[in-house]
Amino acid sequence: MNKKLTVTLIALMMVLTACSPTAGEQGPAGEQGPAGEAGPSGEVSQEAIDAAVEAALTEDSAEVGGTLVIYSGRKESLVADIIAEFAATSGVEVEVRYAKSPALAGTVVLEGAISPADVFFSQDPVSLGVIAKEGLFDRLPESVLDNVPAWAVDKNGYWVGTSGRSRSLVVDTRDVTDAELPGDIYGLADEKFRNRLGLAPTNGSFLAMVACMIESDGEEKVLDWLTTINGLGYGEYPKNSPQVAAAAAGELDIGMINHYYTLRVLAEDPSAPIKNVFLDGGCGAMVMPAGVGILSSSQNKPAAMAFVEFLHSKSAQETFTNTVYEFPLVEGIEPNALLPDINSLNSPSNLNWSALALWQEKAVELIAQAGY
């Protein structure tokens, strides 16, 4: 039986019992008196039932266990250790489906109320917003939302950030000078960068950046930029990490990536001839959260909530910053020394993640229209 229905029935019985007279000791039978008129039947208010149900649902009686199904748009190489630690410490059996965040978001929308997933773990807020827009997430409690800064939380409470990631350029320091680099992403649409640029047009974070550009600057300007970049003979990559490898190998001058891929290489080989360049402003400098939400259709919400809370734990946050080289979001966690001060970055202020989610389809459309 559905858990909430069971709890409702139990709560209703509790209320009805509470409204019934308490039996005392049986006394001697008296003479039967004349029958009186029937009085009005007793009623239990809806408010009383709702209060009893809420009290029953909020009791700490639900044990964390069973199987948890995670749809992860975060790469296995980045988060598998964190998920494994959760499984080991919680006793929950975990099944993970890995794919690109936009593709998984589309899958969840298609599956709707019959999705087998309990949790959607995304590399970008735009993909989370696609699911939130369809009303497929539960609202998270304030105690979870308050763990991270307000910029890393869905305004309606449907998802919460887990770590921070900045867009950046990876450059081959042998072939690129600081003086020739532009201040914003639009400056890359220049003849001097012919055959020198790389990008991953299907990557979720690239789509999020393009959605931000559409929101900020309009479709026409963004399409012109995409078309010009295409005409400059860009190098196309399936994701971010091959761009960093190509730059280190001298095969690519400038790649458009998330910052942490460069830092992972530099952590292993500090002499690698590459570095991150953080732009002066605009959507090419955006700092965005990776995040997580619990699907309303989840069949194991206690384990889903335990997983969300684990992602904010000291252990998980330290893994995000010291192994993945992302910005921790929970107060009191020391960022890795290779990271710049997040407050020094020039991300657009007050980004509306819900609005960007509305532009994701248009971003895909413009990228295709520009010939990618």
Side-chain angles (χ1 to χ4, degrees), residues 83-146:
I83 293 173
E85 183 181 353
F86 168 75
T89 56
S90 67
V92 174
E93 182 179 346
V94 178
E95 298 177 4
V96 189
R97 177 176 176 179
Y98 291 101
K100 293 182 178 179
S101 292
L104 281 177
T107 298
V108 171
V109 171
L110 287 175
E111 292 172 340
I114 61 171
S115 176
D118 297 294
V119 167
F120 178 51
F121 189 13
S122 176
Q123 75 164 18
D124 70 272
V126 173
S127 296
L128 288 160
V130 168
I131 297 176
K133 175 169 62 85
E134 298 296 325
L136 297 174
F137 279 141
D138 277 353
R139 282 189 170 87
L140 296 170
E142 293 296 327
S143 58
V144 170
L145 300 173
D146 289 344

Side-chain angles (χ1 to χ4, degrees), residues 150-197:
W151 65 265
V153 173
D154 175 57
K155 66 177 183 179
N156 294 312
Y158 287 121
W159 56 263
V160 67
T162 54
S163 56
R165 302 139 65 252
S166 177
R167 293 297 291 174
S168 69
L169 305 178
V170 58
V171 302
D172 179 349
T173 55
R174 296 162 294 193
D175 295 324
V176 180
T177 65
D178 290 343
E180 66 178 321
L181 290 172
D184 66 26
I185 199 73
Y186 290 104
L188 292 176
D190 189 291
E191 183 62 31
K192 68 182 177 182
F193 296 120
R194 177 171 292 279
N195 298 320
R196 300 177 68 190
L197 302 174

Side-chain angles (χ1 to χ4, degrees), residues 39 41 106 121 143 161 164 179 196 234 252 255 302 305 329:
S41 59
F121 189 13
S143 58
R196 300 177 68 190
Y234 78 102
L252 174 66
M305 183 59 69
L329 295 182

